[in-house]
Amino acid sequence: MTGLVFDVFKGTTHDGPGIRDTVFFKGCPLRCAWCQNPESIEAKNRVWYSVKKCIGCGECLATCRTGALCAGADGMEINTARCAVCGGCAGACPTGALSIIAREYTVDELLRELIVDKPYFNISGGGVTLSGGEPLMQSEFCIALLRALKENGVTTALDTCGYVSSEALARALPHTDTVLFDLKIFDSDAHARFTGHENGKILENARLAADFITKNQGKALWIRTPIIPDATDSDENILEIAKFIKRDLSGAVSRWDLCLFNRASAFKYASLGRTWEFAEARGITGAEKERLLTLARQSSVDEIYAVGFTAE
Amino acid sequence: MSKLVMNGISSFPQSDRLKKLIERSRELAISGKRSLYTANNTQLVYHWSDTGKAIAPQSGEGGFKGMALGDHGCRVSTGEDFPYLSEMPSRTEGYKMNAESWGKDFAFLMDHSPAEIYPNEAIVGEFHWEMNEVRHYDFGEKVKSLGKIAREHGAGGNSHGHTCSDLSIGLTQGWGGILERINKSLEKYTRLEHPGKMDFLLGAKHCCEAIIRYIDKHADRALGLAEAESDPAQKALYLKIASSCRNIASNPPATYYEAVQWIQFAIMTDRIVGHGNGYGRLDRYLIKLYEKGIADGTLTRDEAREYLSEVFLKVRGQFFSLGGRDKDGNDATNEMSFVVMEAYDMIGDYNNLGVMWHPDMDPKFYSYVCDVLTRHGAGTPSLVNYDVIRDTELRSGIPEEDASDVAYSGCQWFCIPGKEYCDQDTNSVVLTDPMFRAIDKAVDGEYESFEMLYSAFVDELKATTEALRVFKDAQYDILHLMWPEIVTSLNCHGTIERGLDVTAHRGVDYQFTSTNILGIPNVADSFFAISKLVYEQKKYTLRELRDAVRSNWKDNEVMRLHFLKQNKYGNDIADVDAMYVRVTESIAEIMDNTYNNRGQQYRASLFQFMGHTASEVIGATPDGRRATDPLAHGCNPTVGNSTKGIFAAANSTAKADNKKFLGGSLAIELQPKFFDGKDNIGQFIENFSKAYFEKNGVQINLNIIDLNKLRDAIDHPENPEYHNIVIKITGYTSRFIMLTRSFQEEFVGRENYESL
């Protein structure tokens, strides 16, 4: 069994308690319009291309056996339908302009790469976070990895969008110390409009997670809400989520992060040959941040933070 | 978080008196009066220039100005040469290459240096001229010709100081006690007719007596000032100085205050010799007199802190260490460790304190240390892994009871105070040189495998080390005559009784030869790329690569990018890091089996203090580096090649077996932004450093800097906002605006983490 992972970042501090390594899994069931990791969305691996890095040497062309690659007016063009993701072009490219997004790991390979950081985890109360994409899209692999980490004395966190099979979530929870659960938009129609799906299943899974956390000592549930201009940043949305947390998740939530929007992902959309409707979107102001934090406090969650940069 | 402004974010209020002293110290620094110079790029890379004269700060030939290493010199320049230069004994009586002649020159310099006492000072002592400005410094033709051969092999070295005396000797015996021992020993060797030992002891007698006269002169001066002073507070201060100097001129200090003043004179007179030394474990030196003063009510903690901060303002950038363990392996942290740290916290700015962490260290102290380090953001203190540096000493053959006394003493190095003369940080092997020779051999011999190339590299590194050994042995034969370190020797164990200078063969027990290695990551990355592209994939021939590198990749940009694209050290990637470990192991094995003519082995540092900035001396390298790009700084990843964050970089550096080396610091430059959203910056660094040390890392130097400000400061040094920006440049700290431009540019170009 292998998992498809598009990044392993060492030494993160926002994806759960302490100092952590975060593993980013490929594939996501949602299609959030503001997505910060667009390369993670498709479950299938692919080649992407940065015109900025390309020096036009043409060494890649001869390596393509399926004719998926051709030189266009604005640099290389990739026909993803034809591409076999063999890696030939990426290997030949001297600058890394062409590269494969994700790589396959076995549980053991990934474990070996993560376990070396145990001293950082132990001293800081940190561990490993599974993120994505949506890790539970690859639920069998993720559950096996979570179990292996726990067996090796590493505490775990699962960062989920919630739009997953309840059964998979229930099987992952016993191996998870901290659940990072996304609640993005409370109004189901708006949720469908911005993410492609209604949120009934997500709220149901949130209750499931809260129930599990409440019944099991030493586990934690954090809620994360992306604060996206004109999408999730309305007073009403934050207030509704706050009420839901207070009413339905009944004291299980120990922390709520409001993750402020940034435009740093624009280059990723360019490399995927996609346009992004948030490429020119405004940032969140300091005043707005403070207002939303005040509203969020109605949830009675102990720790509430705004994470990321404000516009000014 | 904004950059520290002196007086800015201290936890302790500054008295008006101290504020005035800080202002004066700052003025001295900014006006360039404390600058320290080196000769040129060649000196930086090989630690040896063709003239063999290039020791800081001035050559003695007048008007010499080299590259500014920063404003961390102790000396306060008057802008004038020593006024009695022509009357120096070695000029009137004729120069003799021996210790007695050296000692007479030193005594003359001290006797003709004024006793200076400034208003508001409680701790006094300031000097303007160093020995290397007034006395002939020349190793002679034999050493120079061997130096040329070493240089052709990619090595060099220039023994000067860089050791660590044990100030507890003088603090308990006083200069008078030391002089008594000199006289006794001189009597003995005169009776036994040993001219060599008599020569050293006569030199030592001249020096020790001169120091006593010099300190006594300060008592006279203070009394004179007191008589003329009308302000009662200032008058009392002068009288206090007079009484203290009168006592410690010859006697051991009786109080904490006198001990601090004694240390100031000890460092200053040592520094007049012209070299950078470490001075040992300050918290251990002072704890008894501190506790006594507190117990009998003659000292308050505020006073204790303030006296020490005065020494920091004067001494500028000398190395002291704190913490570590005692002989029984227990935590050596004491109340004084806190007071020293508080003294720095009170004034901030630059300092070269090092804290020797170990798992049993008082957690309260280490938390405070990390708080001070991150709050001031100026690289102070360095964080050092005590257990690893002790193990390095043990591994060299130093017995347990001495090894436990180890003290962090310089940029990346450490010493057994008073018992080592190990030439730390003054010798250099430029690792790219043997690599290039191996590549030439492989091209000419049409080597078919990478292993053949690597084996040629090992042979060439042996040849380089051998050339260095022959050269160093020639220096060691005459060092105690050409430039004895007599003042240091006065506070060493066994020197006086043996009648031998610390630099003489067996003057002290431990005399290893330490060697800085320049370019290890570049060589590892080069070999890794060659193994992939030349030997595995056969994409290029070694000849094609060699020719491209020689021409600085001219017309071969695609080839360069291919070599650059290969996995690089510093990202926690197994295959390339294994090459780094392999190269370091080869270095350790060769050094372990190379012995100097004192019968003691060579030891390598995974560090070289500034050679990486002088990259054009070395040329392009097969890791895809252009001739104009800086080399890797010590064991840190080459700038631009570390893309996975500081944790991955830290993991890579921790893979070398650090106990086999004489230090190698992880340099971390963080932007203030890095800490946005982190609740407790000190806590983060505390956790990070502890985990890094648990992984066997040996040292962390941390800077928190606003890059935009630094970039602007290069062109606008006159802006007062930039006057107090202090950075840890390599192993030492300095005011940014006082550095040579090329150093400034290298610093702002470093890998800089603004987020995780």
Side-chain angles (χ1 to χ4, degrees):
Chain A
M1 180 173 52
T2 57
L4 199 54
V5 169
F6 73 90
D7 203 2
V8 176
F9 210 97
K10 296 186 166 222
T12 58
T13 55
H14 293 317
D15 299 331
I19 295 173
R20 315 189 67 81
D21 287 357
T22 302
V23 182
F24 294 90
F25 285 89
K26 189 136 167 62
C28 186
L30 299 184
R31 293 292 179 271
C32 305
W34 56 79
C35 182
Q36 305 270 308
N37 289 327
E39 76 276 28
S40 75
I41 298 172
E42 281 180 68
K44 191 172 157 279
N45 207 355
R46 63 163 282 190
V47 171
W48 60 342
Y49 169 72
S50 161
V51 69
K52 255 172 131 177
K53 286 189 187 170
C54 181
I55 54 169
C57 68
E59 294 208 5
C60 50
L61 287 168
T63 66
C64 187
R65 296 191 302 266
T66 59
L69 198 64
C70 66
D74 300 316
M76 306 310 299
E77 287 172 7
I78 307 162
N79 182 335
T80 48
R82 288 181 121 172
C83 178
V85 203
C86 69
C89 60
C93 175
T95 66
L98 284 161
S99 62
I100 297 183
I101 291 174
R103 64 162 279 199
E104 286 191 22
Y105 280 92
T106 65
V107 171
D108 276 351
E109 280 173 330
L110 207 43
L111 187 64
R112 265 203 303 279
E113 203 165 298
L114 299 167
I115 205 86
V116 295
D117 294 319
K118 214 170 149 182
Y120 295 112
F121 307 152
N122 288 352
I123 210 131
S124 65
V128 172
T129 300
L130 277 53
S131 182
E134 168 53 55
L136 291 179
M137 287 276 279
Q138 304 180 50
S139 60
E140 290 311 315
F141 184 89
C142 282
I143 290 164
L145 178 63
L146 288 168
R147 183 186 292 130
L149 286 164
K150 292 299 292 176
E151 279 168 8
N152 283 278
V154 176
T155 58
T156 57
L158 176 69
D159 180 11
T160 179
C161 72
Y163 194 75
V164 295
S165 125
S166 300
E167 185 258 338
L169 178 62
R171 283 174 54 221
L173 286 173
H175 311 293
T176 305
D177 296 297
T178 304
V179 180
L180 311 175
F181 201 104
D182 279 15
L183 293 177
K184 303 180 206 292
I185 303 180
F186 194 75
D187 179 83
S188 199
D189 291 342
H191 198 278
R193 206 159 58 242
F194 278 106
T195 75
H197 292 280
E198 295 183 348
N199 66 5
K201 191 169 166 187
I202 295 173
L203 299 183
E204 180 194 323
N205 279 335
R207 289 188 201 98
L208 187 154
D211 186 49
F212 181 85
I213 300 294
T214 315
K215 287 178 182 156
N216 289 275
Q217 282 240 316
K219 308 240 174 191
L221 175 61
W222 294 12
I223 300 299
R224 308 225 281 188
T225 301
I227 303 299
I228 310 297
D230 307 319
T232 73
D233 68 339
S234 71
D235 291 2
E236 189 193 358
N237 186 41
I238 300 304
L239 206 53
E240 288 300 321
I241 296 175
K243 282 188 203 158
F244 172 77
I245 291 173
K246 192 169 182 179
R247 185 183 64 231
D248 285 44
L249 308 184
S250 58
V253 178
S254 51
R255 173 165 161 166
W256 184 9
D257 285 349
L258 307 182
C259 309
L260 307 183
F261 171 77
N262 68 67
R263 294 189 309 209
S265 300
F267 78 96
K268 294 183 174 181
Y269 282 88
S271 290
L272 291 164
R274 286 178 53 183
T275 53
W276 187 30
E277 62 178 282
F278 285 88
E280 302 294 326
R282 64 179 170 84
I284 306 295
T285 64
E288 196 176 355
K289 177 181 95 172
E290 290 308 322
R291 202 182 68 237
L292 295 178
L293 278 171
T294 307
L295 292 170
R297 289 194 187 102
Q298 300 202 18
S299 64
S300 304
V301 172
D302 283 345
E303 291 185 69
I304 300 176
Y305 297 101
V307 184
F309 299 112
T310 51
E312 56 285 339
Chain B
M1 188 177 62
S2 67
K3 185 66 210 178
L4 164 75
V5 175
M6 205 194 243
N7 312 343
I9 38 181
S10 165
S11 299
F12 301 94
Q14 297 162 349
S15 65
D16 287 344
R17 187 176 76 77
L18 194 64
K19 278 184 186 146
K20 286 173 189 153
L21 295 174
I22 288 171
E23 190 45 39
R24 173 161 185 272
S25 179
R26 203 180 68 100
E27 279 306 313
L28 289 175
I30 289 166
S31 58
K33 288 182 175 154
R34 284 205 194 269
S35 284
L36 193 64
Y37 296 93
T38 190
N40 51 37
N41 273 345
T42 318
Q43 176 72 14
L44 284 181
V45 171
Y46 293 96
H47 295 352
W48 178 254
S49 74
D50 287 325
T51 61
K53 280 187 175 175
I55 53 171
Q58 290 182 321
S59 69
E61 290 157 89
F64 169 88
K65 280 273 190 279
M67 302 168 78
L69 289 168
D71 58 330
H72 62 308
C74 295
R75 168 184 180 276
V76 176
S77 170
T78 62
E80 305 287 331
D81 287 344
F82 181 54
Y84 306 94
L85 193 60
S86 60
E87 295 166 44
M88 292 296 297
S90 61
R91 302 199 184 211
T92 55
E93 298 170 13
Y95 171 84
K96 282 194 197 116
M97 196 172 86
N98 64 30
E100 187 186 358
S101 165
W102 195 97
K104 276 188 187 170
D105 273 356
F106 180 82
F108 184 89
L109 177 60
M110 297 302 292
D111 289 341
H112 291 80
S113 288
E116 292 184 4
I117 296 169
Y118 293 91
N120 300 304
E121 289 184 336
I123 302 295
V124 302
E126 209 159 275
F127 69 101
H128 308 301
W129 301 283
E130 294 183 0
M131 277 295 280
N132 49 37
E133 298 170 75
V134 299
R135 183 173 168 84
H136 187 56
Y137 179 98
D138 193 341
F139 275 105
E141 288 315 309
K142 182 185 172 194
V143 168
K144 279 187 209 168
S145 66
L146 291 172
K148 197 155 173 275
I149 295 169
R151 185 61 180 283
E152 285 160 7
H153 280 79
N158 192 347
S159 299
H160 45 76
H162 279 87
T163 189
C164 180
S165 47
D166 181 357
L167 298 186
S168 72
I169 295 173
L171 281 165
T172 52
Q173 299 175 6
W175 296 108
I178 292 172
L179 183 61
E180 220 169 275
R181 283 170 47 226
I182 294 170
N183 285 330
K184 223 170 120 189
S185 192
L186 180 59
E187 220 169 86
K188 180 172 88 179
Y189 289 113
T190 307
R191 181 172 63 81
L192 298 170
E193 295 183 56
H194 194 305
K197 296 186 175 189
M198 287 162 61
D199 172 50
F200 166 71
L201 290 163
L202 282 168
K205 189 174 159 72
H206 285 304
C207 291
C208 195
E209 287 172 347
I211 291 170
I212 291 171
R213 287 195 297 275
Y214 182 68
I215 299 174
D216 210 37
K217 187 158 67 178
H218 284 76
D220 296 340
R221 171 83 182 140
L223 276 182
L225 287 166
E227 262 173 47
E229 182 60 52
S230 53
D231 175 62
Q234 182 61 59
K235 192 184 185 85
L237 211 45
Y238 286 141
L239 290 172
K240 183 180 168 124
I241 294 164
S243 134
S244 157
C245 290
R246 193 70 84 206
N247 184 43
I248 62 169
S250 193
N251 298 325
T255 63
Y256 173 90
Y257 164 68
E258 288 188 0
V260 172
Q261 176 66 70
W262 190 94
I263 287 173
Q264 163 62 15
F265 279 125
I267 294 176
M268 202 177 108
T269 51
D270 192 48
R271 190 73 204 192
I272 287 171
V273 177
H275 303 150
N277 280 327
Y279 295 98
R281 293 162 78 160
L282 189 53
D283 46 1
R284 294 215 296 200
Y285 291 151
L286 290 172
I287 184 67
K288 278 198 182 134
L289 286 171
Y290 171 77
E291 282 173 345
K292 184 172 164 266
I294 296 288
D296 65 22
T298 55
L299 179 72
T300 66
R301 194 178 180 112
D302 287 347
E303 287 168 342
R305 198 183 293 129
E306 197 168 83
Y307 296 146
L308 259 187
S309 69
E310 280 193 60
V311 172
F312 293 157
L313 287 172
K314 278 185 169 298
V315 167
R316 302 277 70 161
Q318 297 315 294
F319 289 85
F320 280 113
S321 69
L322 304 173
R325 295 180 192 269
D326 64 17
K327 283 196 194 305
D328 300 321
N330 299 321
D331 183 21
T333 305
N334 58 35
E335 205 52 29
M336 201 58 224
S337 317
F338 284 90
V339 177
V340 176
M341 214 59 236
E342 289 166 11
Y344 169 74
D345 190 2
M346 183 156 70
I347 58 170
D349 213 56
Y350 54 30
N351 201 305
N352 286 323
L353 290 169
V355 169
M356 301 189 291
W357 176 88
H358 55 86
D360 306 315
M361 174 172 263
D362 179 353
K364 216 172 109 223
F365 179 62
Y366 196 63
S367 293
Y368 177 53
V369 164
C370 292
D371 167 47
V372 170
L373 171 60
T374 50
R375 188 152 35 79
H376 289 269
T380 303
S382 284
L383 307 176
V384 182
N385 189 345
Y386 171 87
D387 288 346
V388 171
I389 67 175
R390 182 208 48 209
D391 282 355
T392 298
E393 298 288 43
L394 284 173
R395 189 176 177 277
S396 308
I398 294 175
E400 303 266 355
E401 64 268 27
D402 281 347
S404 64
D405 284 335
V406 68
Y408 167 75
S409 310
C411 299
Q412 85 297 358
W413 50 274
F414 38 89
C415 265
I416 310 301
K419 294 185 178 175
E420 265 196 47
Y421 182 74
C422 295
D423 235 357
Q424 329 271 16
D425 215 8
T426 63
N427 304 310
S428 171
V429 163
V430 181
L431 203 62
T432 48
D433 282 35
M435 174 181 74
F436 285 132
R437 292 202 303 275
I439 290 173
D440 285 343
K441 269 172 134 180
V443 169
D444 295 343
E446 297 181 350
Y447 289 1
E448 282 165 8
S449 71
F450 175 74
E451 287 310 309
M452 291 170 75
L453 168 65
Y454 193 83
S455 156
F457 164 70
V458 171
D459 289 344
E460 290 304 323
L461 180 55
K462 279 181 190 159
T464 297
T465 309
E466 183 58 15
L468 177 64
R469 185 190 67 80
V470 172
F471 167 55
K472 291 305 301 181
D473 281 355
Q475 286 184 340
Y476 292 150
D477 281 339
I478 58 169
L479 202 51
H480 62 296
L481 303 172
M482 200 285 282
W483 204 265
E485 301 281 348
I486 300 178
V487 180
T488 309
S489 299
L490 298 180
N491 282 293
C492 285
H493 296 276
T495 39
I496 292 169
E497 281 66 29
R498 294 174 196 178
L500 293 171
D501 186 70
V502 67
T503 65
H505 295 313
R506 307 301 290 172
V508 283
D509 288 350
Y510 313 121
Q511 297 180 311
F512 307 97
T513 301
S514 310
T515 308
N516 291 341
I517 314 285
L518 179 61
I520 306 173
N522 301 96
V523 167
D525 285 343
S526 293
F527 277 142
F528 183 78
I530 290 171
S531 76
K532 289 284 163 196
L533 291 173
V534 174
Y535 288 101
E536 260 178 49
Q537 298 170 22
K538 302 195 191 310
K539 194 172 173 65
Y540 299 100
T541 68
L542 195 59
R543 184 183 297 274
E544 286 169 337
L545 169 69
R546 196 258 319 256
D547 295 348
V549 168
R550 273 189 185 169
S551 69
N552 192 18
W553 308 101
K554 191 168 175 292
D555 303 326
N556 277 302
E557 181 62 6
V558 172
M559 190 204 267
R560 184 182 83 81
L561 290 167
H562 274 295
F563 278 85
L564 186 64
K565 188 194 167 191
Q566 300 307 307
N567 285 348
K568 291 286 186 272
Y569 165 74
N571 298 296
D572 201 9
I573 301 171
D575 53 10
V576 65
D577 286 357
M579 184 67 82
Y580 171 78
V581 172
R582 184 177 187 185
V583 171
T584 60
E585 287 292 314
S586 298
I587 294 166
E589 197 190 329
I590 292 168
M591 295 283 161
D592 276 353
N593 291 294
T594 303
Y595 286 80
N596 60 30
N597 57 357
R598 305 152 178 322
Q600 302 205 5
Q601 71 169 74
Y602 275 62
R603 297 195 298 193
S605 289
L606 303 177
F607 177 88
Q608 214 269 13
F609 73 100
M610 281 315 277
H612 61 290
T613 60
S615 48
E616 68 276 16
V617 177
I618 285 145
T621 39
D623 52 354
R625 201 193 116 261
R626 290 167 294 220
T628 45
D629 300 332
L631 288 152
H633 168 213
C635 59
N636 293 283
T638 312
V639 168
N641 288 352
S642 164
T643 55
K644 302 291 276 180
I646 54 169
F647 288 79
N651 284 350
S652 289
T653 66
K655 284 177 190 172
D657 191 352
N658 279 305
K659 68 176 178 298
K660 295 181 179 171
F661 301 94
L662 195 90
S665 45
L666 173 68
I668 301 179
E669 274 75 42
L670 300 176
Q671 291 256 55
K673 262 198 222 168
F674 181 89
F675 293 108
D676 279 3
K678 290 188 183 61
D679 323 328
N680 185 337
I681 299 171
Q683 182 70 48
F684 175 81
I685 291 302
E686 183 179 340
N687 286 338
F688 171 73
S689 60
K690 282 179 179 172
Y692 180 65
F693 290 151
E694 204 175 300
K695 284 164 144 301
N696 200 32
V698 64
Q699 184 179 339
I700 295 175
N701 293 337
L702 174 80
N703 282 302
I704 301 170
I705 42 169
D706 186 332
L707 268 188
N708 292 330
K709 278 191 184 169
L710 286 194
R711 288 197 191 100
D712 197 49
I714 294 178
D715 291 320
H716 301 287
E718 73 288 349
N719 183 341
E721 194 196 340
Y722 302 145
H723 287 180
N724 292 327
I725 297 182
V726 170
I727 57 163
K728 176 140 280 190
I729 172 135
T730 63
Y732 62 92
T733 48
S734 171
R735 204 171 297 277
F736 184 76
I737 57 164
M738 302 313 291
L739 294 164
T740 283
R741 191 181 176 100
S742 61
F743 297 173
Q744 292 177 331
E745 286 173 350
E746 184 270 342
F747 190 86
V748 298
R750 283 185 195 176
E751 212 65 71
N752 219 288
Y753 302 97
E754 63 175 49
S755 65
L756 283 163

